[in-house]
Amino acid sequence: MHCMRFLIAGGIALVAFCAPALAQYPTKAITVIVPFAAGGPTDVVTRLVGEHMGRTLGQTLVVENIGGAGGSLGMTRAAQATPDGYTIAVGNMGTQSAAPALYPNLKYDPATSFAQVGVVNYTPQAIVSKKALTTKTLKEFIAYVKAKGSELTFGHAGVGSISHVAGLVFNAKYGLTPNLVPYRGTGPVLQDLVAGQIDYTVDQSLNVIPQIKAGTIKVYAIAAPERLSSLPDVPTTKEQGDDFIFSAWNAMVAPKDTPKEIVDKLVDALNKALDDPAIKARYVELGSSAPQGAERGPAGLQKLVESEVARITPVIKAAGVTGQ
Ligand code: MLT
């Protein structure tokens, strides 16, 4: 969108010229940065809604996985991308609310460096281990991990990712001291969990449900007030007398100076995807839920980012960890 550069330089005179270009958006494929490895929860839900959004927008949404530094590498790339609507991203609760407290030199601010598009999904965390562990209940599992200490390994998607922060909170709550093993996403974490290479993790339900159903990993609890309809036999933490509740989210953003006309089209396409009956059914299977009402769109996401940054920052500070 050639007129874009001029627009910043030229002011009023060029608005007219840009209008047709904005109206025609998109005229080519859109890159969606996923700041974690392919096959993980953020990647899976991005491809699910991205395919539908592409049909609405008339152009393909192409996922580019840029993992590293708990997702902050990919989100930095997104914040610094040309604000022409052809580079957007799907970050998550980690990159969009925990990262500021963990990375003092973070090159983006989740609340101001992006044009918020909207929340993509919510999904509770699940406490899971490799199949070989003999523990059966959450209490037995916690006692076992506590006794074993750093003999055991906890896999996560990098400092500041959801699985890292959820692990921080869960492990600190019970005084668990496993060896923390970082990956570029919980897709590869899950592969090593199934292979018995690592002992446990606390990951988004949407990522682990297929393996739980396949019986290739063990699940002790869903960290939510209610059971998931897709896992009717899996108890919640609450049912086991425990109050560890951890709900995660993924969200779509664009670089901050992306024209409103373009952001509006992305918001509309995302909302249409979230209202699609097939996607709604897939969300249920994946232990996920879609934002409703005022939770939708840029304002809903902005509010969520600000409240989550305020909620998580003291938790991370108390844990005394940093990403650098
Ligand atoms: C992923 O897609 O790998 C996860 O969202 C990473 C995380 O934040 O735990």
Side-chain angles (χ1 to χ4, degrees):
M1 193 175 303
H2 179 61
C3 71
M4 183 61 103
R5 258 182 255 114
F6 281 105
L7 179 68
I8 294 165
I12 306 276
L14 290 171
V15 172
F17 169 76
C18 282
L22 291 174
Q24 287 158 13
Y25 172 86
T27 57
K28 60 182 179 180
I30 299 166
T31 297
V32 189
I33 294 174
V34 168
F36 297 103
T42 304
D43 184 73
V44 166
V45 78
T46 300
R47 290 174 194 270
L48 182 62
V49 298
E51 188 280 328
H52 191 284
M53 290 178 69
R55 280 187 269 135
T56 302
L57 294 164
Q59 292 290 340
T60 306
L61 273 65
V62 179
V63 172
E64 183 181 354
N65 298 90
I66 304 175
S72 61
L73 272 186
M75 295 315 290
T76 299
R77 177 84 69 80
Q80 296 171 349
T82 304
D84 59 2
Y86 291 105
T87 303
I88 62 176
V90 174
N92 68 21
M93 174 203 204
T95 62
Q96 303 312 97
S97 64
L102 283 158
Y103 294 98
N105 307 318
L106 191 66
K107 293 192 180 59
Y108 65 87
D109 177 336
T112 60
S113 302
F114 299 100
Q116 315 289 14
V117 175
V119 174
V120 173
N121 77 307
Y122 306 108
T123 184
Q125 298 299 93
I127 301 158
V128 294
S129 81
K130 67 182 183 185
K131 191 176 177 185
L133 290 196
T134 56
T135 45
K136 292 188 178 49
T137 66
L138 182 61
K139 272 196 177 54
E140 280 178 22
F141 171 70
I142 291 169
Y144 176 79
V145 176
K146 192 168 179 78
K148 290 288 184 181
S150 61
E151 274 178 56
L152 297 185
T153 51
F154 175 88
H156 63 82
V159 171
S161 65
I162 296 172
S163 46
H164 175 253
V165 176
L168 266 181
V169 176
F170 179 76
N171 292 331
K173 188 175 171 61
Y174 305 105
L176 311 180
T177 56
N179 220 348
L180 302 184
V181 183
Y183 290 74
R184 296 171 80 80
T186 54
V189 169
L190 186 56
Q191 283 164 5
D192 273 6
L193 195 69
V194 170
Q197 300 297 316
I198 55 165
D199 297 300
Y200 75 106
T201 189
V202 178
D203 191 14
Q204 294 169 60
S205 298
L206 93 89
N207 193 41
V208 295
I209 287 175
Q211 298 301 339
I212 291 170
K213 287 188 169 173
T216 55
I217 60 172
K218 269 194 165 172
V219 58
Y220 299 94
I222 300 298
E226 309 291 329
R227 289 192 182 202
L228 294 173
S229 58
S230 54
L231 289 176
D233 305 329
V234 178
T236 63
T237 46
K238 199 170 146 212
E239 288 173 80
Q240 300 181 70
D242 186 283
D243 59 0
F244 176 71
I245 299 289
F246 203 104
S247 172
W249 44 274
N250 293 285
M252 185 173 281
V253 299
K256 80 170 165 38
D257 293 324
T258 302
K260 185 177 181 315
E261 296 87 342
I262 290 177
V263 175
D264 289 349
K265 285 187 177 182
L266 294 167
V267 171
D268 172 64
L270 175 58
N271 283 335
K272 284 193 169 85
L274 296 177
D275 292 334
D276 176 74
I279 289 183
K280 283 182 173 177
R282 189 75 186 114
Y283 265 37
V284 171
E285 286 170 9
L286 292 173
S288 281
S289 58
Q292 300 303 329
E295 297 169 349
R296 293 264 183 116
L301 179 53
Q302 184 69 30
K303 195 163 166 239
L304 180 65
V305 166
E306 291 169 3
S307 63
E308 290 277 81
V309 169
R311 182 177 70 84
I312 290 176
T313 300
V315 173
I316 291 171
K317 298 277 181 216
V321 290
T322 68
Q324 287 164 343

